[in-house]
Amino acid sequence: MTQELYQKAIIFAGEKHSEQKVPGTNANYLLHISNVAMEVLIAYSFDNDFDINLAVQVAILHDTIEDTNTDFEEIKDEFGENIAAGEQALTKDEKLKSKKERMIDSLNRINQLQKEIGIVKIADRITNLQRPPKHWTKEKIVSYCDEAKLISSTLSKKNDYLNQRLSSKILEYEKMIESL
């Protein structure tokens, strides 16, 4: 991983998400993005059998199509076809009716690409399995945990370290749900 690739992606993401906050906080969205990239970098230190350049750039850019006015072509022009395809797979199709359908569709598209895209999805969910925003209902929290289990089972062969870490975060999240 070169610092130049990292910097190009983080500057792009920082500009695109400049007004976005981490849900339920006043923290800039780059906090979430950097946490997802950190999960990928740490996973690489345990198992370097994946393309770190692809994985980290996709991690940094993973929400740009879904959450900003960025489209596939802009990502492709700036970062190349592989990264754009990964971003597109990580983006849920809002034309599908239910949240579950959107997630299954995205996971199916992720599984058609390089394992690095799945690695990013796992790292993203690990990062998101923190204490939920206060305005979430218990039903929404349980549903979010169920989604994490779906991600875990669907992407179970992407990276042993991250798969184990996600399983552990799911168990912690379930304990937190029990205390609600």
Side-chain angles (χ1 to χ4, degrees), residues 5 8-9 12 53-54 57-58 61 64-65 70-88 113-114 117:
L5 290 175
K8 181 180 179 185
F12 185 90
N53 289 326
L54 175 61
Q57 288 176 93
V58 170
L61 299 167
T64 53
I65 293 175
T70 308
D71 63 16
F72 175 87
E73 289 301 320
E74 187 176 1
I75 298 287
K76 181 180 163 192
D77 291 346
E78 283 291 321
F79 299 96
E81 180 86 33
N82 283 342
I83 293 170
E87 297 306 317
Q88 191 68 52
L113 298 174
Q114 306 94 321
I117 312 310

Side-chain angles (χ1 to χ4, degrees), residues 50-107:
F50 64 91
D51 181 345
I52 191 66
N53 289 326
L54 175 61
V56 169
Q57 288 176 93
V58 170
I60 292 169
L61 299 167
H62 78 275
D63 279 335
T64 53
I65 293 175
E66 190 165 280
D67 291 350
T68 74
N69 63 358
T70 308
D71 63 16
F72 175 87
E73 289 301 320
E74 187 176 1
I75 298 287
K76 181 180 163 192
D77 291 346
E78 283 291 321
F79 299 96
E81 180 86 33
N82 283 342
I83 293 170
E87 297 306 317
Q88 191 68 52
L90 290 162
T91 301
K92 288 174 226 50
D93 183 351
E94 293 300 319
K95 292 181 213 132
L96 297 173
K97 290 180 183 176
S98 75
K99 215 173 155 151
K100 186 170 184 174
E101 285 177 298
R102 291 190 290 266
M103 179 60 74
I104 291 169
D105 172 68
S106 176
L107 292 171

